[in-house]
RNA sequence: GGGCCUAUAGCUCAGUUGGUUAGAGCGCACGCCUGAUAAGCGUGAGGUGGUUGGUUCAACUCCAACUAGGCCCA
């Protein structure tokens, strides 16, 4: 007969199949309805805070795998700190101004863009940004991320824009802001500066010329090569590479100086018959040497040393015009060179260059060549075709032209040094991240704050119409700030300048009419002040933040700009810790980009597998290095997920008749194996707490999964089954096991809830734990990790488990010889000469067969004649046999007691007691 | 070209201050179970440690160069 009904088999509604794509929306709705964030904040009020300040993603397009990765990592930390009881307000934010949005909006406008009113364009940009803030917000929420989604920070809000202006005022007040020249890509047809992604490249014809620059004191010349003769009037220096050797050559064109490595190239290019090497010298020898200006003969210029000089082509000596080249500009700053840019907005020479005044630079090339020729300094000239930057809109060739810009002086008031000091106070994770930003700050130039664009926060400065004097006045700026707080930054463009400057007079000439600055702030300035606009202003937050967490590109970006502004205005860093993660690349470790067509949409994946699996994937990898995402990247996380889920299901099923308050067994009354597994639970908790605290999520997941898989499923649960199923329902031993798995469930749920918030919530709803919160995320995990630790048990069980592994090998041999199928058909015989092990066998004499899941275990007095499996240290011989007796119809154990009882002829004694 | 990073089994990761046969999970192969069953258990096969040199009695671990890839500059 069947005794199945008399068993306590697991029973639960908790579905084996997760069906995450159905579960997740359901729980999201639940959280939305109960307003989970508000509830959590209410519950944690007054507790220690942990502030993770969100770096704002750009409100352009849908979220991608990188932003998904980043937000999930942040959520791990916020949810972990929360379950540990911290008050962790998380305010997500968006970066809303800037070129990419303006560019997209302008592109959509087509021809109309050229004539559109600035205010209307700004309005369209605002709609555009709003649209994507909404889209991204829903996409982030779908990933199970908690936070102030209903009141995020957006950099285009009145309050935020006002704070940007306020901080500009603070910087002005402290003397960090100055005006200076800087070369930018300039379209002389559109008469506007262009940003990086507005520049296209096309093959264009250009002159390629070698020109002699005569040394002042000697009858020798430097030889330079250029493809932009029109920049020669702006020449201020000749750059040598500091680490290269230079040779003096006696040629058909006189004695010329070129880089040793390029002499052959030069000789071939200029077609000189004579080329005798007179000397070879280090670049340093020529440093500071004076030469005659190529255009203005009475002007003297100097040789400088600069790293950017290449040995790929040319002569190894670069004609340097800081007003017309970025390298030159950088070198110019370093060597304090004059920044000359004698070219007007239309690309025509100004009166600085009398002989070419009014000529369009590209047309002037010809005349310049002629003049050089006449002078005899033009050594060689030809036409080449090379890739040249052109305007994305009108396709005309761009020039590099120095323009007036606003700068933040990185060296004012020792700022650079202070920033470096602050860097040393911050904890950078991983450690090398400190070196990276330290080197960057050491090298970086002044920060150019101004952009010649429309969509951004205006720079609140006016110029005197009469004398051109700039009014950089904190009182004026703060007045504008107040207007912006009230009306938004559009007010700057809406109001007439006379209204804005009412009552003001030029401090220089006394005139009262002004002109508005039309430039806006670099968007990095927007996000740089989030620590002030958000962390300082929101009452639920606390400055400085505990943590910033962004990808590795933010050392140049957000980490750095925030640090600069904060150090300049507050005197210290806005964060205590900075965590950097790598980037998500495609399967070939290549960057994902639209043009390569290898972009993976997280929404698509989530639709198929659920966000939970993406979260598990995020937690499974070491984020400190870049990660490849492949189609099968989610395969392992899926398997891991099902294993974890099944462990939960097993526990829930076996607790269906258990009520902790009534049925729990006291620790001292529990069976040793139950005490042991609880000791292991404490050890697991201790490790996971440490890993979480160090933000090492892949170690959290690894150990959590190993616990579920090794310690629970294949070891503890497998052994426990017999007891849970066949023992008397209310027997102490069965209740002991249930008590253990109850405690395990209670901790595991909370331990994994930061990584698997949906599954933890689902499991929690099936978990009968008496008094419950509305959500698992309102719970706090017991921080005590020394409840069950027991060194003696740990020691003993280490040996027993080692023995079980050996027994498994013995059983496998028996199976392979077709003697048994399942282990219950076997009997184990053990022999040991080790005292400690003998003792263990005595203490666990009744338990050994449960441990091995066999029907019988005999401890022998002496070894048997047959071949045993051997264990070393402690020594033990293991023999196997087929168990003797009959199979109990109820518990399936083979026992000699089966058949002895008339009433229950097919049951063993143990089961008869239960069934009775 | 410069600063910083990465490179251990098919995949994701461990490997204490250099010291015996380099570990785990997943996957894979084979087998068992059929009372966690679109589950569970067992056993096993997988690694010239990116490459090449060097230091050392001894290097995955230290040093150098190189290769491939990444970020940020240029």
């Amino acid at each position: 007969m069947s005794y199945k009904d008399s068993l306590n088999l697991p029973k639960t509604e908790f579905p084996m199949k997760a069906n995450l794509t159905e579960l997740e929306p359901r729980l999201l709705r639940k959280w939305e309805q109960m307003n989970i964030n508000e509830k959590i904040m209410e519950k944690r009020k007054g507790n220690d805070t942990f502030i993770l300040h969100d770096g704002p993603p750009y409100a352009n397009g849908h979220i991608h795998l990188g932003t998904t990765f980043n937000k999930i990592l942040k959520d791990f930390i916020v949810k972990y700190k929360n379950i540990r009881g911290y008050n962790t307000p998380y305010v997500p934010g968006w970066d809303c101004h800037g070129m990419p949005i303006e560019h997209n909006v302008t592109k959509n406008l087509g021809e109309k863009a050229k004539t559109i009113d600035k205010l209307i364009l700004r309005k369209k940009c605002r709609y555009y940004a709003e649209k994507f803030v909404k889209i991204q917000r829903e996409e982030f929420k779908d990933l199970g991320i908690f936070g102030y989604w209903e009141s995020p920070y957006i950099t285009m809000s009145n309050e935020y824009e006002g704070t940007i202006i306020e901080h500009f005022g603070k910087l002005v007040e402290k003397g960090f802001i100055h005006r200076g020249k800087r070369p930018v890509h300039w379209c002389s047809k559109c008469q506007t500066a262009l940003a990086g992604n507005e520049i296209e490249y096309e093959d264009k014809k250009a002159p390629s010329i070698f020109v002699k620059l005569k040394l002042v004191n000697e009858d020798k010349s430097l030889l330079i090569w250029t493809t932009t003769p029109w920049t020669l009037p702006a020449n201020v220096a000749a750059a040598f590479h500091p680490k290269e050797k230079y040779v003096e050559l006696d040629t058909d064109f006189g004695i010329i100086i070129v880089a040793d490595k390029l002499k052959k190239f030069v000789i071939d290019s200029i077609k000189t018959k004579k080329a005798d090497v007179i000397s070879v010298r280090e670049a340093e020898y020529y440093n500071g040497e004076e030469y005659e200006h190529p255009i203005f003969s009475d002007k003297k210029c100097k040789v400088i040393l600069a790293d950017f000089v290449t040995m790929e082509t040319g002569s190894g000596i670069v004609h340097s015009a800081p007003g017309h080249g970025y390298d030159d500009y950088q070198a110019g700053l370093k060597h304090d060179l004059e920044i000359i840019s004698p070219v007007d907005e239309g690309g025509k020479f100004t009166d600085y260059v009398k002989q070419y005044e009014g000529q369009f630079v590209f047309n002037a090339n010809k005349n310049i060549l002629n003049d050089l020729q006449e002078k005899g300094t033009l050594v060689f000239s030809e036409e080449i075709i090379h890739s040249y930057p052109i305007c994305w809109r009108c396709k005309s060739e761009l020039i590099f032209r120095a323009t007036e810009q606003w700068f933040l002086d990185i060296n004012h008031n020792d700022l650079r040094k202070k920033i470096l000091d602050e860097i040393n106070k911050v904890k950078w994770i991983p450690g090398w991240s400190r070196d990276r930003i330290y080197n960057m700050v050491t090298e970086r130039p002044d920060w150019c704050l101004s952009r010649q664009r429309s969509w951004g926060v205006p720079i609140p400065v006016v110029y005197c119409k009469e004398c051109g004097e700039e009014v950089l006045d904190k009182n004026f700026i703060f007045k504008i700030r107040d207007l912006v707080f009230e009306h938004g930054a559009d007010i700057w463009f809406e109001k007439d300048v006379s209204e804005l400057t009412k009552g003001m007079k030029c401090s220089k000439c006394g005139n009262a009419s002004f002109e508005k600055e039309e430039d806006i702030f670099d968007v990095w300035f927007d996000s740089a002040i989030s620590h002030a606009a958000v962390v300082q202003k929101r009452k639920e937050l606390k400055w400085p933040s505990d943590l910033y967490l962004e990808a590795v590109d933010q050392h140049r970006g957000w980490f750095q700009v925030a640090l600069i502004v904060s150090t300049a205005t507050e005197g210290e860093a806005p964060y205590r810790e900075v965590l950097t993660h790598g980037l998500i690349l495609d399967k070939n470790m290549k960057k994902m980009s639209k043009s390569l067509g290898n972009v993976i949409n997280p929404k698509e994946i989530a639709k198929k597998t659920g966000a939970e699996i993406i979260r598990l994937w995020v937690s499974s990898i070491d984020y400190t290095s870049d990660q490849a995402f492949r189609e099968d990247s989610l395969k392992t996380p899926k398997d891991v997920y099902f294993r974890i889920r099944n462990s939960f299901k097993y526990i829930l099923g076996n607790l269906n008749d258990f009520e902790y308050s009534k049925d729990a067994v006291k620790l001292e009354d529990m069976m040793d194996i139950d005490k042991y597994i609880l000791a292991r639970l404490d050890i697991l908790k201790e490790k996971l707490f440490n890993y979480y605290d160090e933000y090492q999520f892949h170690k959290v997941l690894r150990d959590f999964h190993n616990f579920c898989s090794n310690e629970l499923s294949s070891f503890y649960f497998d052994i426990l089954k017999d007891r849970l199923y066949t023992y008397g329902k209310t027997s102490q031993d069965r209740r002991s096991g249930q008590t253990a798995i109850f405690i395990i469930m209670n901790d595991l749920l909370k331990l994994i809830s930061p990584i698997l918030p949906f599954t933890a919530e689902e499991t929690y709803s099936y978990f009968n734990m008496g008094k419950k919160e509305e959500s698992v995320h309102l719970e706090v995990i017991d921080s005590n990790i020394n409840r069950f630790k027991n060194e003696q048990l740990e020691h003993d069980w280490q040996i027993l488990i080692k023995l079980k592994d050996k027994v498994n090998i013995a059983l496998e041999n028996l199976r392979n010889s077709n003697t048994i199928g399942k282990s219950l058909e076997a009997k184990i015989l053990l022999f040991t000469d080790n005292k400690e092990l003998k003792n263990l066998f005595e203490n666990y004499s009744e338990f050994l067969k449960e441990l091995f899941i066999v029907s019988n275990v005999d401890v022998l007095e002496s070894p048997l004649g047959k071949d045993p499996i051997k264990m070393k240290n402690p020594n033990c011989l293991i023999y196997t046999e087929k168990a003797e007796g009959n199979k109990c119809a109820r518990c399936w154990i083979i026992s000699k007691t089966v058949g002895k009882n008339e009433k229950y002829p097919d049951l063993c004694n143990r089961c008869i007691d239960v069934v009775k």
Side-chain angles (χ1 to χ4, degrees):
Chain A
M1 85 175 260
S2 166
Y3 290 93
K4 200 164 170 174
D5 293 343
S6 74
L7 295 172
N8 311 303
L9 292 179
K11 206 169 96 189
T12 175
E13 300 291 310
F14 185 76
M16 165 176 287
K17 204 171 162 231
N19 204 358
L20 288 169
T21 50
E22 182 271 325
L23 172 74
E24 287 175 6
R26 206 175 70 224
L27 290 179
L28 285 169
R29 244 175 286 131
K30 171 190 160 161
W31 290 335
E32 180 103 39
Q33 276 160 14
M34 70 180 274
N35 205 341
I36 184 94
N37 190 59
E38 203 170 275
K39 288 260 166 65
I40 292 173
M41 291 303 114
E42 184 56 35
K43 189 116 190 156
R44 300 289 186 263
K45 213 174 181 174
N47 294 7
D48 287 349
T49 55
F50 184 88
I51 309 297
L52 196 174
H53 180 42
D54 189 36
Y58 198 63
N60 182 16
H62 293 259
I63 64 170
H64 53 84
L65 217 46
T67 39
T68 301
F69 187 71
N70 173 263
K71 276 284 199 294
I72 289 175
L73 286 176
K74 286 170 177 164
D75 195 49
F76 287 166
I77 294 170
V78 169
K79 283 204 171 78
Y80 166 68
K81 292 287 180 185
N82 170 57
I83 203 93
R84 291 300 301 273
Y86 284 88
N87 176 23
T88 58
Y90 174 67
V91 180
W94 276 275
D95 211 354
C96 303
H97 294 125
M99 227 283 304
I101 288 175
E102 184 174 339
H103 187 251
N104 283 352
V105 169
T106 313
K107 222 163 60 184
N108 293 343
L109 285 169
E111 280 301 299
K112 270 192 285 178
K114 287 178 185 165
T115 52
I116 195 166
D117 178 76
K118 197 179 240 179
L119 279 164
I120 295 173
L121 179 63
R122 286 173 59 88
K123 212 154 250 149
K124 286 185 182 292
C125 289
R126 180 173 290 272
Y127 288 143
Y128 183 97
E130 265 168 7
K131 177 179 143 194
F132 282 107
V133 165
K134 279 184 194 143
I135 287 173
Q136 291 191 5
R137 177 173 64 182
E138 294 313 307
E139 289 170 339
F140 285 138
K141 278 162 78 177
D142 286 349
L143 297 169
I145 292 158
F146 291 170
Y148 284 89
W149 294 112
E150 302 318 310
S151 50
Y153 76 89
I154 53 172
T155 59
M156 60 181 180
S157 70
N158 292 0
E159 202 203 345
Y160 200 109
E161 289 180 335
T163 313
I164 291 172
I165 295 194
E166 177 174 82
H167 270 66
F168 180 67
K170 284 189 184 179
L171 290 168
V172 167
E173 198 175 3
K174 290 173 187 278
F176 284 105
I177 304 301
H178 68 91
R179 196 157 164 78
K181 276 187 175 169
R182 181 181 196 253
V184 294
H185 280 287
W186 186 269
C187 177
S188 38
K189 197 170 164 198
C190 304
Q191 306 217 347
T192 180
L194 296 181
N197 57 346
E198 292 178 319
I199 296 162
E200 294 174 3
Y201 288 84
E202 207 171 79
D203 282 344
K204 292 279 177 188
K205 254 195 226 163
S208 162
I209 61 169
F210 283 94
V211 180
K212 286 197 294 185
L213 302 175
K214 193 194 160 300
L215 291 180
V216 170
N217 298 320
E218 288 176 90
D219 196 19
K220 298 171 184 169
S221 299
L222 311 174
L223 190 71
I224 55 138
W225 174 75
T226 181
T227 56
T228 50
W230 63 267
T231 61
L232 286 172
N235 174 275
V236 294
F240 283 48
H241 193 285
K243 288 181 190 150
E244 294 294 337
K245 289 191 170 66
Y246 286 80
V247 295
E248 293 183 4
L249 295 175
D250 191 2
T251 69
D252 301 351
F253 308 97
I255 297 174
I256 58 167
I257 300 166
V258 298
D260 188 28
K261 279 185 189 157
L262 284 160
K263 67 178 181 239
K264 187 173 181 305
F265 175 79
V266 170
I267 292 164
D268 292 349
S269 296
I270 65 176
K271 301 185 174 70
T272 174
K273 290 195 185 87
K274 191 167 71 166
D276 302 329
V277 177
I278 298 173
S279 69
V280 183
R281 293 198 175 98
E282 298 294 334
E284 181 55 40
Y285 176 85
Y286 298 97
N287 193 11
E289 193 85 19
E290 281 191 321
Y291 67 88
E292 286 176 12
H293 191 277
I295 306 293
F296 311 111
S297 316
D298 50 337
K299 195 173 167 184
K300 310 280 179 271
C301 300
K302 276 185 183 170
V303 169
I304 58 166
L305 303 182
D307 286 333
F308 69 83
V309 177
T310 73
M311 294 296 137
E312 276 157 29
T313 186
S315 63
I317 303 175
V318 173
H319 132 64
S320 185
H324 293 302
Y326 196 74
D327 284 332
D328 310 45
Y329 168 70
Q330 296 280 350
L333 290 180
K334 213 167 168 181
H335 297 276
D336 207 18
L337 302 175
E338 203 184 343
I339 297 170
I340 303 168
S341 189
V343 176
D344 70 13
E345 294 174 358
K348 292 178 179 144
F349 278 116
T350 64
D351 63 355
Y352 179 88
V353 197
K354 285 275 174 340
Q355 54 269 59
Y356 310 120
E357 185 180 351
Q359 295 183 23
F360 184 53
V361 291
F362 292 114
N363 298 335
N365 273 344
K366 199 173 59 205
N367 300 329
I368 293 170
L369 290 192
N370 285 338
D371 292 349
L372 292 174
Q373 182 84 52
E374 226 160 84
K375 258 194 189 169
T377 54
L378 183 66
V379 174
F380 179 76
S381 142
E382 65 175 341
E383 276 207 330
I384 58 160
I385 290 174
H386 67 164
S387 169
Y388 195 83
I390 59 168
C391 174
W392 68 286
R393 195 182 290 157
C394 73
K395 311 292 177 197
S396 58
E397 289 166 79
L398 302 177
I399 58 173
F400 226 55
R401 170 176 177 264
T403 51
E404 292 280 323
Q405 304 288 345
W406 289 102
F407 290 89
L408 187 155
D409 185 342
I410 197 77
N411 291 313
H412 174 72
N413 200 13
D414 250 351
L415 180 58
R416 192 192 305 270
K417 196 185 162 297
K418 282 179 191 159
I419 294 171
L420 294 175
D421 286 347
E422 285 305 303
I423 287 175
N424 285 335
K425 289 183 202 159
V426 170
K427 183 177 178 192
W428 300 89
I429 307 166
W432 50 257
S433 144
R434 177 254 171 218
D435 298 348
R436 188 171 153 91
I437 193 164
Y438 194 93
N439 291 343
M440 283 178 176
V441 170
T442 305
E443 294 288 325
R444 74 155 294 147
D446 284 349
W447 179 1
C448 179
L449 293 175
S450 46
R451 294 294 125 99
Q452 293 68 52
R453 302 269 103 195
S454 301
W455 179 228
V457 176
I459 298 176
V461 176
V462 292
Y463 303 91
C464 173
K465 249 186 182 162
E466 199 60 37
C467 68
E469 178 75 359
E470 65 213 26
V471 179
L472 190 60
D473 174 58
K474 66 168 184 183
N475 292 325
F476 176 68
I477 294 168
F478 290 147
K479 189 176 120 192
I480 300 300
R481 169 200 63 190
D482 294 339
L483 283 172
V484 171
F485 274 142
E486 199 180 332
H487 305 284
D490 278 349
I491 196 78
W492 177 261
F493 303 102
E494 279 164 11
K495 289 215 175 196
D496 192 80
V497 65
S498 60
E499 208 176 325
L500 294 171
T501 58
K502 205 181 250 171
M504 275 168 60
K505 278 203 171 92
C506 173
S507 60
K508 201 170 164 196
C509 71
N511 193 284
S513 60
F514 299 92
E515 226 172 320
K516 264 192 274 186
E517 171 65 89
E518 291 289 324
D519 288 2
I520 57 166
F521 286 109
D522 174 14
V523 266
W524 283 115
F525 190 69
D526 290 22
S527 59
I529 64 114
S530 69
H531 70 92
V534 182
V535 185
Q536 281 177 351
K537 299 223 164 169
R538 292 238 184 173
K539 61 181 187 311
E540 63 269 37
L541 302 178
K542 222 168 106 187
W543 196 94
S545 303
D546 291 292
L547 180 67
Y548 276 33
L549 188 170
E550 306 296 332
V552 67
D553 53 349
Q554 298 304 322
H555 285 105
R556 169 58 74 193
W558 196 51
F559 296 153
Q560 189 178 143
V561 294
L563 182 60
I564 292 172
V565 172
S566 178
T567 308
T569 59
E570 313 293 331
E572 59 179 299
Y575 38 66
R576 296 204 170 95
E577 283 186 337
V578 175
L579 190 150
T580 309
H581 63 257
L583 284 101
I584 305 303
L585 309 171
D586 79 354
K587 60 183 176 200
N588 300 315
M589 287 303 270
K590 299 275 187 222
K591 195 179 165 168
M592 287 190 190
S593 75
K594 277 178 197 157
S595 58
L596 287 172
N598 58 355
V599 177
I600 291 172
N601 183 348
K603 215 171 158 181
E604 301 268 306
I605 313 171
K607 236 192 268 169
K608 269 190 261 172
T609 66
E612 200 84 314
I613 303 299
I614 300 179
R615 296 180 67 105
L616 208 53
W617 169 71
V618 170
S619 77
S620 75
I621 58 188
D622 176 6
Y623 56 73
T624 56
S625 54
D626 296 338
Q627 287 296 331
F629 188 90
R630 303 180 176 82
E631 275 171 35
D632 59 353
S633 285
L634 297 179
K635 205 167 168 293
T636 301
K638 261 189 226 163
D639 290 324
V640 167
Y641 179 80
F642 284 119
R643 180 58 153 231
I644 292 171
R645 189 177 176 86
N646 265 311
S647 299
F648 288 177
K649 182 170 189 259
Y650 175 93
I651 294 179
L652 292 174
N654 284 298
L655 288 176
N656 78 80
D657 66 333
F658 182 82
E659 245 174 76
Y660 189 79
S661 55
K662 282 210 321 263
D663 304 319
V665 174
K666 278 188 261 168
L667 183 63
E668 60 262 36
D669 297 329
M670 289 174 83
M671 282 184 70
D672 272 1
I673 188 174
D674 300 335
K675 289 187 200 162
Y676 166 72
I677 199 71
L678 289 178
R680 298 296 299 168
L681 177 68
D682 267 356
I683 289 165
L684 173 78
K685 266 178 87 169
E686 181 173 24
K687 279 196 290 186
L688 295 200
F689 282 171
N690 284 336
Y691 292 146
Y692 268 126
D693 287 336
E694 292 164 1
Y695 313 127
Q696 304 225 42
F697 310 114
H698 67 288
K699 291 186 180 172
V700 170
L701 182 68
R702 180 195 61 190
D703 281 15
F704 186 89
H705 178 244
N706 278 353
F707 187 78
C708 288
S709 191
N710 298 350
E711 313 224 25
L712 293 182
S713 192
S714 79
F715 172 70
Y716 183 61
F717 289 171
D718 208 28
I719 292 168
L720 189 60
K721 272 192 256 184
D722 175 66
R723 184 156 31 120
L724 291 174
Y725 299 173
T726 69
Y727 281 34
K729 202 166 185 158
T730 58
S731 67
Q732 176 165 303
D733 284 351
R734 181 163 182 274
R735 291 303 194 202
S736 166
Q738 286 181 308
T739 305
I741 59 175
F742 179 94
I743 293 168
I744 290 168
M745 179 89 276
N746 194 17
D747 277 349
L748 289 189
L749 263 186
K750 295 168 190 169
L751 284 169
I752 204 63
S753 67
I755 293 172
L756 300 176
F758 294 103
T759 306
E761 187 77 308
E762 182 194 18
T763 311
Y764 184 73
S765 71
Y766 288 92
F767 184 39
N768 174 21
M769 60 184 288
K771 217 178 134 200
K772 260 208 285 201
E773 298 285 352
E774 206 175 337
S775 159
V776 69
H777 303 289
L778 291 165
E779 291 272 357
V780 173
I781 190 166
D782 181 359
S783 281
N784 187 356
I785 45 162
N786 294 307
R787 304 162 300 176
F788 309 114
K789 279 187 192 159
N790 185 328
E791 275 181 35
Q792 183 61 46
L793 271 181
E794 273 276 324
H795 175 79
D796 290 351
W797 279 80
Q798 217 182 336
I799 297 169
L800 291 174
I801 284 167
K802 193 173 165 188
L803 184 65
K804 183 175 161 78
D805 286 341
K806 289 290 174 185
V807 166
N808 275 340
I809 293 172
L811 289 171
E812 186 66 14
N813 288 343
L814 206 59
R815 242 192 301 270
N816 289 338
S817 66
N818 284 326
T819 313
I820 60 162
K822 58 182 168 178
S823 57
L824 276 180
E825 291 165 29
K827 172 181 179 178
I828 299 293
L829 302 112
L830 302 169
F831 169 77
T832 182
D833 52 7
N834 179 285
K835 216 172 144 193
E836 192 192 359
L837 195 55
K838 260 186 195 160
N839 262 335
L840 260 185
F841 288 167
E842 252 169 57
N843 292 342
Y844 288 100
S845 61
E846 277 312 301
F847 182 72
L848 288 176
K849 56 178 186 284
E850 280 189 44
L851 172 65
F852 303 144
I853 319 183
V854 296
S855 283
N856 221 325
V857 176
D858 271 3
V859 178
L860 303 168
E861 290 300 318
S862 56
L864 293 178
K866 49 186 179 181
D867 226 12
I869 294 287
K870 290 175 188 157
M871 178 171 84
K872 277 183 191 159
N873 210 3
N875 289 329
C876 185
L877 303 180
I878 301 155
Y879 306 91
T880 52
E881 291 178 355
K882 208 173 157 77
E884 297 152 4
N886 296 312
K887 181 177 164 187
C888 171
R890 184 168 175 276
C891 72
W892 294 348
I893 284 173
I894 293 171
S895 167
K896 287 178 184 164
T897 66
V898 177
K900 295 274 159 70
N901 187 302
E902 280 183 18
K903 202 172 162 201
Y904 303 101
D906 51 355
L907 293 189
C908 68
N909 280 353
R910 198 183 63 172
C911 285
I912 292 170
D913 286 345
V914 176
V915 174
K916 268 200 270 189

